[in-house]
Amino acid sequence: MGRWDLVQLRCANFMSCTLEERLALILLELSENFGVADAKGLRLTLPARHRDLAELVGASRPRISEHLTSFERKQLISRDNRQLVVNRARLESFLAQTRIPAIGTGTVV
């Protein structure tokens, strides 16, 4: 039942989130579950294709590409050898500014 709880938490968090916030939450969740330490943050050990991320957040691939480019400019993520590196501290700070709690910290405020 643990994984089902995560699905329910994700759905509850997504209800009032913008696309940018949903993408940030997914990147945090992926980095928590599939990230390895890197000098720039947590490198995702699985391929994070734009199409796959779009499916996870309920958006189109071009919109995800736009937001990932924006995240790179804001230094929330970086790309290295076709892998995403998530800067968890910056992403969590971004979400705190939008009043969305990080994964596992409760419900949406």
Side-chain angles (χ1 to χ4, degrees):
M1 288 301 286
R3 290 188 185 264
W4 183 247
D5 290 340
L6 284 176
V7 169
Q8 288 179 322
L9 177 62
R10 180 186 306 142
C11 289
N13 279 340
F14 277 10
M15 291 295 187
S16 61
C17 294
T18 66
L19 173 56
E20 190 174 46
E21 293 164 344
R22 293 192 315 259
L23 181 58
L25 285 168
I26 284 296
L27 290 172
L28 282 175
E29 185 176 340
L30 289 173
S31 69
E32 185 175 305
N33 293 314
F34 303 103
V36 294
D38 184 272
K40 298 177 185 177
L42 288 172
R43 178 183 302 272
L44 297 184
T45 58
L46 70 150
R49 298 179 305 205
H50 295 200
R51 177 182 44 169
D52 297 331
L53 294 172
E55 255 181 56
L56 287 170
V57 300
S60 67
R61 191 222 30 94
R63 294 283 305 191
I64 293 302
S65 297
E66 290 172 15
H67 284 289
L68 287 174
T69 300
S70 171
F71 281 9
E72 275 190 279
R73 278 195 308 270
K74 296 175 184 175
Q75 298 179 344
L76 304 176
I77 63 167
S78 60
R79 298 177 210 220
D80 189 23
N81 293 329
R82 300 183 56 87
Q83 288 182 311
L84 283 180
V85 180
V86 176
N87 185 323
R88 284 189 63 91
R90 285 183 183 258
L91 263 180
E92 288 172 353
S93 176
F94 163 76
L95 287 172
Q97 292 171 6
T98 62
R99 300 180 344 137
I100 303 295
I103 300 296
T105 61
T107 58
V108 175
V109 176

